[in-house]
Amino acid sequence: MVKAVVGANWGDEGKGKITDMLAKESDIIIRFQGGANAGHTILNNYGKFALHTLPSGVFYDHTTSIIGNGVALNIPILFKELNDIVSRGVPKPKLLISDRAQIVMPYHILFDQYEEERLGGKSFGSTKSGIAPFYSDKYAKIGFQVSELFDDEAALKEKLELVCEMKNVLLSNLYHKPELNASDLFDTMMEYRQMAEPYVCDVSAYLWQAIQDGKEILLEGQLGSLKDPDHGIYPMVTSSSTLAAYGAIGAGIPPYEIKKVITVCKAYSSAVGAGAFVSEIFGDEADELRRRGGDGGEYGATTGRPRRMGWFDVVASRYGCRIQGTTDVAFTVLDVLGYLDEIPVCTAYEIEGKVTMDFPTTGQLNKAKPVMETLPGWKTDIRGIKKYEELPENCRKYIEFVEKKLGFPITMISNGPGRDDIIYR
């Protein structure tokens, strides 16, 4: 069976923990989109890890971890990550890289930095990992597939010359930065070839056979519904589709094989980067939630930036679940809310005097004000509880309130950072 683990909101929902947990019963875990621009924080028996490219199932020795064709592959970052986890006692995982994945080039990172610098106060809040320039080149058909590392060297050199010619016009005239050298880039790509060669394969064919053999396959998404370039808060989005449906494309499998879509929702809201965030809170209220949140405070796993904080947003989350095709909701970091006497929830938006529960396009979203309801808190620590019935009454009421508003079943509840801090329902 193929399952997908994806996010309902802006990212940072806790997908890494859920993937790590479900990987125990899986044979193959696949990253199918995005790059090293966001991270998944994992806490397990080996320690605490922030993964950026490796799938979150790498901590089990029975699994195969795959970099799918939809990923923005930064080869040095991937192998640094691999070496880092092995140096900390994790058995070296079995890793495969799609021969159709495309490579994040050094100049993609430079262009990302230069463009954010040029935009100044109107920047997109990029992590400066090269993601937007990478996907721009991919769809402009001047990107480099992993397979090209192993093709004719003369053809590779010729393509690099052509790309450098185009890029240098921008570097000289728009950014006023040093030009690229095709020969240096070719040497870099030969280093990439040596690093990647043992792991490269036809991933789509491999997965086709795995499906025929009845293997348990897990697709791992990055970020969340609201960062999707089509269905999210455009233009403050990422550059690849964050939806489970894209898992079929980004891994190279038939869409009808995805049988379960586990959409991860936080019990409150957080976001890194710019863009509309209707239930956002500020000041001391936000600082307190940020300090208590996550598994050591709410800070970006990649950037270390303080996350923007807010209360649970029913409108955004319901939309995020719907657009993912959710079959199951995993409700995370519920334990964080135990300090509150009362818990606010955004249940609707008011836009120009009209109340709606539909998530609008960006222009309308920027005008939206939150309509809040308040639920009683449970004022106790719920970590360590394994059965739903043993949760405090007000805690269960909060879950059931959210579930009813979402319209999708909450089947997993995370009440702590560890992989065993989970309640099945």
Side-chain angles (χ1 to χ4, degrees):
M1 179 192 285
V2 182
K3 301 174 186 172
V5 177
V6 288
N9 302 112
W10 300 266
D12 307 314
E13 297 96 348
K15 295 179 296 298
K17 172 187 168 168
I18 301 300
T19 304
D20 174 56
M21 188 190 79
L22 294 174
K24 186 176 182 181
E25 311 299 332
S26 302
D27 301 299
I28 298 166
I29 300 94
I30 310 160
R31 270 290 304 276
F32 64 83
Q33 49 87 213
N37 55 316
H40 292 155
T41 303
I42 310 287
L43 187 66
N44 58 30
N45 299 338
Y46 295 105
K48 184 178 178 180
F49 300 85
L51 300 183
H52 306 279
T53 305
L54 283 173
S56 299
V58 291
F59 300 101
Y60 294 98
D61 56 12
H62 69 276
T63 61
T64 298
S65 294
I66 291 180
I67 305 297
N69 56 274
V71 170
L73 175 59
N74 188 319
I75 290 176
I77 283 184
L78 172 67
F79 286 101
K80 180 182 184 303
E81 223 169 86
L82 185 65
N83 293 333
D84 283 351
I85 68 165
V86 171
S87 72
R88 292 177 60 188
V90 177
K92 188 172 182 179
K94 183 181 178 185
L95 177 68
L96 298 176
I97 298 171
S98 171
D99 53 4
R100 294 178 184 271
Q102 292 205 14
I103 301 165
V104 175
M105 299 293 285
Y107 53 78
H108 289 140
I109 296 164
L110 292 175
F111 274 90
D112 203 353
Q113 294 168 353
Y114 297 158
E115 181 63 4
E116 288 287 284
E117 182 183 307
R118 186 183 74 86
L119 290 170
K122 296 181 179 179
S123 71
F124 291 96
S126 167
T127 61
K128 301 174 185 173
S129 306
I131 303 304
F134 164 88
Y135 281 107
S136 296
D137 281 4
K138 178 174 180 176
Y139 293 111
K141 296 174 282 292
I142 55 170
F144 292 89
Q145 283 193 338
V146 167
S147 61
E148 292 178 74
L149 296 173
F150 307 96
D151 290 342
D152 180 61
E153 290 187 9
L156 182 58
K157 286 179 179 178
E158 183 181 358
K159 184 175 174 181
L160 280 166
E161 291 281 359
L162 290 169
V163 170
C164 285
E165 189 177 339
M166 295 171 62
K167 300 295 182 187
N168 285 340
V169 172
L170 286 171
L171 287 168
S172 294
N173 297 292
L174 180 63
Y175 298 117
H176 311 293
K177 300 290 186 181
E179 294 189 354
L180 301 175
N181 182 290
S183 178
D184 291 345
L185 285 168
F186 178 79
D187 292 343
T188 298
M189 293 190 84
M190 292 302 96
E191 293 173 14
Y192 290 178
R193 180 172 74 180
Q194 190 174 4
M195 295 164 77
E197 189 168 14
Y199 306 94
V200 175
C201 78
D202 183 342
V203 159
S204 181
Y206 178 88
L207 292 173
W208 176 260
Q209 189 57 53
I211 290 168
Q212 309 314 306
D213 294 342
K215 300 292 187 183
E216 288 292 323
I217 299 170
L218 204 55
L219 299 170
E220 180 181 29
Q222 180 213 53
L223 295 169
S225 304
L226 306 183
K227 289 292 185 177
D228 184 81
D230 287 288
H231 299 283
I233 53 172
Y234 186 87
M236 300 301 185
V237 292
T238 193
S239 302
S240 63
S241 177
T242 59
L243 304 185
Y246 189 76
I249 299 165
I253 61 172
Y256 55 76
E257 293 293 348
I258 303 174
K259 307 297 186 189
K260 259 192 168 187
V261 177
I262 298 146
T263 305
V264 186
C265 268
K266 259 181 174 164
Y268 53 91
S269 299
S270 70
V272 167
F277 186 1
V278 177
S279 70
E280 187 170 10
I281 57 176
F282 304 92
D284 292 343
E285 189 178 37
D287 289 341
E288 179 79 351
L289 183 56
R290 185 182 298 111
R291 183 179 65 80
R292 292 174 177 271
D295 54 7
E298 289 285 359
Y299 300 91
T302 299
T303 62
R305 286 185 293 187
R307 290 178 179 141
R308 299 161 65 194
M309 306 305 297
W311 301 119
F312 189 82
D313 187 328
V314 168
V315 181
S317 301
R318 188 175 73 153
Y319 171 78
C321 288
R322 174 172 67 78
I323 214 76
Q324 289 287 9
T326 300
T327 60
D328 297 74
V329 173
F331 201 47
T332 59
V333 291
L334 183 64
D335 54 297
V336 169
L337 300 180
Y339 73 99
L340 292 161
D341 292 313
E342 294 183 323
I343 304 172
V345 179
C346 173
T347 55
Y349 295 166
E350 183 185 325
I351 303 172
E352 296 180 328
K354 295 181 180 179
V355 174
T356 181
M357 286 192 68
D358 293 325
F359 192 77
T361 53
T362 306
Q364 293 297 302
L365 192 61
N366 288 329
K367 301 174 186 177
K369 298 174 183 176
V371 176
M372 307 299 292
E373 291 188 38
T374 303
L375 279 73
W378 47 91
K379 295 291 289 181
T380 187
D381 186 2
I382 60 169
R383 286 192 187 184
I385 293 174
K386 298 295 183 187
K387 294 181 179 178
Y388 182 73
E389 297 75 22
E390 294 174 5
L391 288 170
E393 182 182 2
N394 284 347
C395 184
R396 296 197 308 272
K397 284 182 175 178
Y398 182 75
I399 295 163
E400 288 156 20
F401 177 86
V402 167
E403 182 179 56
K404 185 177 180 181
K405 292 287 186 182
L406 284 179
F408 296 92
I410 295 174
T411 59
M412 285 171 266
I413 297 153
S414 171
N415 61 334
R419 64 164 55 140
D420 296 323
D421 295 326
I422 198 81
I423 297 169
Y424 292 98
R425 181 166 171 265

